[in-house]
Amino acid sequence: CCGLLPPCCGLLPPCCGLLPPLSALLSPLSALRQSAIPRLLLLALVPAMALASKQEALVASYKAAVAAHQASELDTALEHYRACVAIKSIPAVHNNMAAILLSQGDKAAAEENWRLAVEGKPDYAEAHFNLAVVLSESGDDAKLAEARRHCELAMEHKEGYVQAHHLMGNIRMSQGAQEEATGWYAKAEALGGSAAAPAPASFRWEGVEVGHVRTLRLPDGTSWSMQTLSLRPLSFLVRDFLSENECERLIGLARPRLQQSLTMGNASASERTSESVFLPAAEDGLLRELQERLSALTRLPLQQVAGGEDIQLVHYSEGAAFGMHHDSSAFLPRLLTAFYYLNEVEGGGETAFPAADGAMSPDEALALAEPAAAGGGLVVKPARGAALLWYNHGEDGSRDACAVHAGCRVTAGEKWGAN
């Protein structure tokens, strides 16, 4: 939820791009009611008329499901999709059902529906990709191997599938094949070309000047102080964005399910030794509340915030780091990033932007192995409950190269965060 994506730009394709036309669900039997049917043939045509009635019910359920899905009325859409597949198994409907079920936190049911989608349409590249995503998140060796196979099928059936190339890099990284993973990331970058611009922001804060502080008053009467940290990238710090209890609750949700972090930005990240897990907003009320809070902070529509990625909880043990990278890429353009600090760190763990405000070139910054030690630029020390917000793209929509950053090495204790 915190790496904001343009509409319809997540891992899951938009329902409207996957649904077959209504005509594909009809057969010539649908014309029976307009036909002149001799009475002597009525008894023979009763089964055909029953079939036509089922087809009419299918189309009605299908149209209702699409309308509800596009209106983000997910429970209603799911009900109508289920009515569809009760009449006829349709791969695209199973794919859309899976997307809704995953957003509601039911990964097992989502996986089952994506399996039905690829079983019914073996060349369904998007369903193979979505199934591979879910399988790859388990961390189980057997499921990782299966995820790799489905990812291969996605690329086989859709030429130049950028997201699948990147996913393959993540899968191979999880399987310990780091060199091969780097090659897949590079292929994804090459296929994607230069970073695509996200949808223009309906609102963008003015930085004014470094050190500027503004007070944000919320409808419920609470307020935040937001300090400008840099102008390129445009970044802000909001202290006490989360309470101590909220920080502990997020850590508790993530701790049992951590896996090695995988790069989601460009392929040049030199080190990824943190652990992380993605949590859908439907899983806990606090996650949904964070979406609403981020919408209030950024003054972006809640629908755009909720339509972004799931919140990612990250953990750095002593000695862990996340190397230099950019959060927006050709295959996953992110308008902005919000990072929440969930604990006080004994030593290290800063977020460093070595190229901030022209302190050095972005290429020089990307080459740094220990950015905190380089000095200069922007270095943000963790403070429990604080939110660090930065824009990955400039006002004109182009990617801001100065937004390259790193999660610096934890030198003592541990670090917890969310983005």
Side-chain angles (χ1 to χ4, degrees):
C1 70
C2 306
L4 295 188
L5 302 171
C8 296
C9 191
L11 294 176
L12 303 174
C15 67
C16 54
L18 297 180
L19 298 172
L22 293 176
S23 59
L25 305 180
L26 296 169
S27 78
L29 290 173
S30 61
L32 282 175
R33 293 183 64 184
Q34 286 77 41
S35 303
I37 305 174
R39 293 190 178 187
L40 294 178
L41 296 179
L42 282 177
L43 291 177
L45 288 174
V46 165
M49 293 176 70
L51 178 58
S53 178
K54 281 189 175 182
Q55 289 177 325
E56 289 178 356
L58 172 62
V59 170
S61 295
Y62 186 88
K63 292 170 76 173
V66 172
H69 202 161
Q70 292 176 338
S72 297
E73 298 169 359
L74 300 186
D75 288 335
T76 301
L78 194 57
E79 178 184 347
H80 288 299
Y81 281 139
R82 283 175 171 149
C84 287
V85 297
I87 299 171
K88 180 179 180 180
S89 180
I90 303 170
V93 172
H94 282 296
N95 183 73
N96 289 357
M97 286 177 62
I100 294 174
L101 290 163
L102 185 64
S103 73
Q104 295 177 336
D106 194 343
K107 289 188 177 181
E111 179 183 329
E112 178 185 355
N113 274 276
W114 273 316
R115 289 188 185 282
L116 289 170
V118 298
E119 180 182 327
K121 184 172 170 37
D123 63 348
Y124 199 161
E126 289 81 6
H128 280 294
F129 171 79
N130 291 335
L131 178 55
V133 170
V134 172
L135 293 171
S136 69
E137 291 176 348
S138 70
D140 176 80
D141 288 344
K143 286 201 170 184
L144 278 172
E146 189 179 3
R148 182 181 178 185
R149 177 57 184 153
H150 283 288
C151 194
E152 289 171 344
L153 288 168
M155 291 186 289
E156 177 182 327
H157 295 302
K158 183 176 178 179
E159 187 177 354
Y161 202 158
V162 178
Q163 292 88 343
H165 280 74
H166 187 267
L167 176 61
M168 184 62 82
N170 283 353
I171 293 169
R172 296 301 288 142
M173 182 68 74
S174 296
Q175 293 177 318
Q178 184 170 349
E179 186 174 344
E180 184 181 337
T182 300
W184 283 107
Y185 293 140
K187 288 178 182 177
E189 288 286 343
L191 284 170
S194 59
S202 55
F203 179 86
R204 179 185 175 92
W205 285 111
E206 290 290 336
V208 185
E209 63 181 2
V210 173
H212 178 77
V213 177
R214 56 166 55 89
T215 299
L216 309 179
R217 302 196 183 281
L218 305 181
D220 63 2
T222 60
S223 62
W224 294 317
S225 290
M226 185 167 76
Q227 180 184 4
T228 301
L229 299 183
S230 63
L231 300 179
R232 282 206 63 196
L234 182 58
S235 67
F236 304 93
L237 184 69
V238 181
R239 298 189 182 277
D240 301 319
F241 190 77
L242 296 98
S243 70
E244 182 176 341
N245 287 340
E246 289 171 335
C247 291
E248 290 301 319
R249 177 161 184 76
L250 290 174
I251 291 172
L253 289 171
R255 193 185 293 275
R257 293 180 282 180
L258 293 170
Q259 301 175 41
Q260 182 187 10
S261 295
L262 300 170
T263 182
M264 292 300 288
N266 68 358
S268 62
S270 59
E271 186 176 10
R272 310 169 191 85
T273 54
S274 59
E275 302 171 294
S276 62
V277 62
F278 284 91
L279 299 177
E283 189 162 317
D284 190 273
L286 176 55
L287 300 175
R288 292 190 293 273
E289 185 179 333
L290 275 177
Q291 290 181 333
E292 295 171 359
R293 209 175 294 178
L294 182 59
S295 175
L297 174 62
T298 60
R299 296 193 179 179
L300 294 174
L302 178 59
Q303 185 177 8
Q304 183 177 359
V305 173
E309 300 158 83
D310 292 335
I311 189 170
Q312 179 183 211
L313 278 293
V314 293
H315 174 250
Y316 298 75
S317 55
E318 188 169 329
F322 201 124
M324 294 297 307
H325 61 286
H326 198 293
D327 277 357
S328 188
S329 67
F331 45 85
L332 192 58
R334 288 185 176 96
L335 172 64
L336 56 83
T337 299
F339 189 91
Y340 311 134
Y341 297 102
L342 303 182
N343 73 319
E344 304 289 349
V345 183
E346 291 180 41
E350 304 92 344
T351 305
F353 296 80
D357 290 329
M360 66 176 67
S361 74
D363 287 341
E364 289 174 323
L366 284 169
L368 295 174
E370 299 291 341
L378 172 65
V379 179
V380 184
K381 183 176 175 58
R384 181 167 54 196
L388 174 61
L389 174 73
W390 70 89
Y391 289 85
N392 295 302
H393 289 253
E395 198 167 359
D396 64 356
S398 63
R399 191 170 78 158
D400 188 347
C402 291
V404 292
H405 62 283
C408 298
R409 194 174 307 281
V410 174
T411 58
E414 63 177 354
K415 172 186 174 182
W416 286 92
N419 67 326

